Amino acid sequence: MANGMFGLSESTARETAPVWDKVKDFVTPMEWPAQAELIVEINRLKRERDAVILAHNYMTPEIFHGVGDYVGDSLGLAKEAARSKAKVIVQAGVHFMAETSKILSPDKTVLIPDLKAGCSLAESITGADVRLIKQRHPGLPVVTYVNTTADVKAETDICCTSANAVQVVEWAAREWGVDKVILIPDEFLARNVAAQTHVGIIAWKGRCIVHERFTAADIAEMRAAYPDAEILAHPECPEEVLAASDFAGSTAALIDHVTARRPKQVVLLTECSMAANIAGDVPGVQFIGPCNLCPYMKRITLENIRDCLVNMQFEVTVPEAMIAPAQRAVQRMIDLPPPAVPARYDMIKARHHVAVELI
């Protein structure tokens, strides 16, 4: 009987009411009935298929809060997937994330709702590229950002995230007994790491299409319009953006900063949906633009998540020969003691410019 809120059945309205409370500032009342019905259907299908959904921070709020069993950054999601007893993993994110889940959970079925959900950064480099880099720089360890494909991870000595990149680079330099490390593929992450370590960095010119578009001019405009706002940036942004921000750090550090400080106004220089998803947990904090949408992340919708589970379609596999070396690179990072706090890249302000060798 359709007599609940927005014309929904009482059971659907009751089940989705907590989600509505989280997303109501970002979803219109006109959109909500269809989304609520899909959320209920997807959650039912998960139970039937023995499936869990990994929802990345850049998913839209109705996905993030409505159907995500585990939410967070790409590595955190893959680790949760490995711990889960579910037989099926649905990656509400992009393709390299689904591959990472498969690397850490090779016996599970990993699905992605849209095979075209790629990543400009991950697609900027291949395993063949890494083999050539190693030939050009023999004896140097290769540290690879987790935002890469399985064939790149398979050629890697150890992976890193934006939260632990400095720690991993310094560990690799000590372990290999060298003063220089290859850090690929994100150029800006490499430059921002280089500003915080004495280890020399050899970098690749890969970039994220979301973060490379932010400029110091954007920050100047926001400061003029909103002088009391705190400006936060992700380390995949250019160096001058981090230097001009109030705080810069990994995804986890940005979330922790907002959650702990609860500033009245925040400019979050990253993907738009992250601000919307944090906002659901920090009422009273106003998030102000600019932000950039990731067209790849936005290929994931409630509709194709539902279809993915109905048809058990778009399975992501990794060649067996790649799984062991890629898993070793990821596991080496996991086995390191976690940093005491997620990396803060705003410390770049206090350091001199550090040269990075681009391949």
Side-chain angles (χ1 to χ4, degrees), residues 94-100 103 117-130 144-156 159 184-185 316-319 322 325-327 329-330:
V94 295
H95 197 271
F96 80 79
M97 298 177 187
E99 284 190 332
T100 306
I103 288 166
C119 170
S120 62
L121 181 58
E123 292 165 7
S124 73
I125 192 167
T126 66
D129 292 325
V130 182
T144 297
Y145 200 21
V146 291
N147 298 28
T148 47
T149 57
D151 69 324
V152 170
K153 289 184 176 73
E155 299 292 339
T156 294
C159 287
I184 53 177
V316 174
T317 60
V318 174
M322 288 182 188
Q327 191 177 78
V330 177

Side-chain angles (χ1 to χ4, degrees), residues 321-345:
M322 288 182 188
I323 288 180
Q327 191 177 78
R328 180 192 62 195
V330 177
Q331 194 62 47
R332 271 181 174 164
M333 175 189 63
I334 292 172
D335 290 343
L336 289 180
V341 293
R344 281 185 58 177
Y345 290 85

Side-chain angles (χ1 to χ4, degrees), residues 291-306:
C291 64
N292 294 324
L293 286 170
C294 174
Y296 302 108
M297 290 284 187
K298 270 34 189 186
R299 296 193 71 91
I300 307 301
T301 65
L302 286 173
E303 288 84 358
N304 59 26
I305 291 173
R306 185 267 317 277

Side-chain angles (χ1 to χ4, degrees), residues 133-148:
I133 292 168
K134 291 193 288 189
Q135 289 176 17
R136 189 179 299 180
H137 299 279
L140 294 186
V142 178
V143 177
T144 297
Y145 200 21
V146 291
N147 298 28
T148 47

